[in-house]
Amino acid sequence: MIKFTPIAVAVLAAASLAGGALAMTQDEYKAEKARIEAQYKTEKARCNDQLQGNAREVCKEQAEGAEDVAEAELKARRQPGPRADYEVAKEKAEASHDVAKAKCGGLAAAEQGACRQGAKDDYAAARQALGPKPAR
């Protein structure tokens, strides 16, 4: 199970709530992108300052995944459509996969192989569920 930090949850919630908004101006887009980047830097710094070892790596992957998803959702808000929705779902699958792989790093060596294979299988299933990439 993936556990997101409260900040990552807030970023994802804000991005999903704003999904129904009308087209964005260039200034709104730039401001939102800057906010996402600042949020990522804050979260990454928190990971570095408060955590150690594998927990730090997992935290960094969660922060990076939340940033990637938020950026994909921002692009989808700016240029909505099937392709944008596909890209958001793909980023979510990739973020989940990266976090799962990072969590495997904290396991004993004998368990890491099975953990990584499970993460790989889950990612393959998520990509399969996405189907083909929509045309532009």
Side-chain angles (χ1 to χ4, degrees):
M1 177 175 197
I2 297 174
K3 293 182 181 178
F4 286 103
T5 61
I7 294 172
V9 171
V11 169
L12 293 174
S16 66
L17 289 175
L22 298 175
M24 307 176 83
T25 67
Q26 183 69 17
D27 289 340
E28 290 171 332
Y29 178 81
K30 286 180 180 179
E32 186 66 15
K33 185 154 177 68
R35 188 194 62 74
I36 291 168
E37 290 172 3
Q39 187 70 45
Y40 167 70
K41 288 177 183 177
T42 300
E43 188 67 16
K44 188 176 174 187
R46 186 193 67 79
C47 295
N48 287 330
D49 294 344
Q50 297 178 5
L51 301 171
Q52 294 179 355
N54 185 255
R56 177 184 289 173
E57 297 307 313
V58 171
C59 182
K60 286 180 181 180
E61 287 296 338
Q62 287 173 333
E64 188 174 315
E67 179 192 33
D68 292 344
V69 170
E71 286 179 353
E73 288 174 338
L74 178 62
K75 289 177 185 176
R77 284 178 33 214
R78 188 162 189 213
Q79 295 178 334
R83 188 175 183 114
D85 295 340
Y86 174 89
E87 292 298 326
V88 170
K90 183 181 85 160
E91 285 297 334
K92 287 180 180 180
E94 289 176 358
S96 177
H97 180 242
D98 291 342
V99 170
K101 286 191 312 185
K103 287 182 178 182
C104 293
L107 299 175
E111 298 170 340
Q112 282 186 4
C115 180
R116 289 183 195 274
Q117 187 61 46
K120 184 178 178 182
D121 293 344
D122 290 346
Y123 177 66
R127 289 299 303 253
Q128 177 86 24
L130 286 175
K133 189 174 194 174
R136 288 192 177 239

